[in-house]
Amino acid sequence: MAQDPTRPAQDAIIRPRKRGGRPPAQSQGELFAALDLGTNSCRMLIARPEGAHFRIIDAFAKTVRLGPDIERTGSLSRAAIERTVGALKVCSSKLSRQNVVAQRLVATEACRRASNGGKFLSLVKSRTGLDLEVIAPEEEARLAVVSCAPLVSKRADQLLVFDIGGGSTELVWMDISHIDPQHRQRAVMKLRLDPRVEAVETTGARVVDFISVPLGVATLNERFDDVLDESARFALMSWYFEEQLQNFVPYNDLDILSDPERFQMIGTSGTVTTVAAAHLGLKRYDRRKVDGITMSAEQIEAVVSRLVSLGPEARLNDPAIGRDRAKLIIAGSAILQTLLRIWPTQRLRVADRGLREGMLYSMMSHHAAAKAAANKGLST
């Protein structure tokens, strides 16, 4: 029986803890924590390894709008800082209640660009106790790719993973054609990106090209917020974003794009998952139904066209979009449609995962390897 394309693959599932249950005791598994502070949202996961996956023990997500004025002023506003510190206090409280063996707390584009980013991080440290790490675009892209590794097709030769964030968009094109199909997911999970060289090869996965565009849903929306006509604004955002991709030339043989078996595109972002939820007609967002599904270009086009035609008020009240994302979905859709126009593919794999999952996979893998090495040393 053919697999239903609207259901996530089994290897893509990250199993959540059942509601109402108490967090497992430490003896049931070591805990890891990952926090991602982006331009628009603050999200954290606490999880424990479970085979090749992990089980979520606790989670936090809040729209903080850290960088709504960064395009105009170049700095973080006082109101945005206070909103974000409030959310980070909740994260700090959750972390204090769990005995984690490893944690990673990162900040991305807004803190990279803001003139007062350093002062903000010092303020966060003094008021919440959290020591945030501002990561480079290369590391942001790597973590996004690592999180999507379980969704990589064993038949794919060329792979494009993109992450549409609040303040930036990362694209990574990889050649995995010469890797054993059974090992392609593992090779992608071990990916490394090095900005000093054009291509990096690790365990056979070769980065053909990489780019981080300093435009995401929040910053692109802010740049064209004064254009009242929605169709014109959508077209301008799409055109402007495409202009920023001129230096990204990953592959000359575009014939491969017509072969959905050999070329795979994976999108990870709130934009992509919102489009998928709207396609499925969900009245309430359900990660289990969205993560891992495959959408055709025609299905995406139909959803985006409907979103643009709805207008601001109707989008605000659409349960598939959500009030927090209603204002930003048009900017995200413009980016998504631009990518599909430049690299027209028949299918897009949807990933409800990102930096947090990438950090968890990396920390758990490193911790397991260190324990194995220690145990081997004790036995010799």
Side-chain angles (χ1 to χ4, degrees), residues 29-88:
E30 296 168 317
L31 300 182
F32 297 78
L35 184 150
D36 168 23
L37 176 60
T39 303
N40 193 54
S41 60
C42 174
R43 295 173 292 183
M44 184 180 73
L45 289 177
I46 300 175
R48 74 165 185 264
E50 192 171 85
H53 313 281
F54 56 76
R55 181 177 292 276
I56 298 171
I57 304 305
D58 201 356
F60 175 82
K62 186 175 180 62
T63 299
V64 294
R65 294 182 290 116
L66 176 60
D69 302 315
I70 202 163
E71 279 289 303
R72 181 174 57 86
T73 67
S75 62
L76 308 176
S77 70
R78 181 175 299 179
I81 288 173
E82 288 302 319
R83 284 194 301 268
T84 305
V85 168
L88 290 171

Side-chain angles (χ1 to χ4, degrees), residues 89-140:
K89 284 182 178 178
V90 178
C91 294
S92 178
S93 176
K94 286 177 174 290
L95 285 170
S96 67
R97 295 196 297 266
Q98 303 285 3
N99 184 21
V100 299
V101 298
Q103 65 181 33
R104 192 173 184 192
L105 320 173
V106 306
T108 55
E109 186 66 14
C111 291
R112 286 196 293 261
R113 292 179 59 183
S115 59
N116 58 343
K119 291 182 179 179
F120 166 69
L121 295 176
S122 298
L123 180 67
V124 168
K125 180 67 180 297
S126 65
R127 291 178 59 180
T128 71
L130 300 181
D131 193 2
L132 299 184
E133 166 196 3
V134 180
I135 57 174
E138 291 79 13
E139 177 64 0
E140 186 174 355

Side-chain angles (χ1 to χ4, degrees), residues 348-373:
L348 170 70
R349 195 82 187 269
V350 176
D352 184 351
R353 47 184 73 211
L355 271 60
R356 296 171 303 164
E357 290 82 0
M359 287 186 280
L360 288 173
Y361 280 132
S362 296
M363 285 188 291
M364 290 174 182
S365 176
H366 177 78
H367 190 71
K371 287 183 66 176

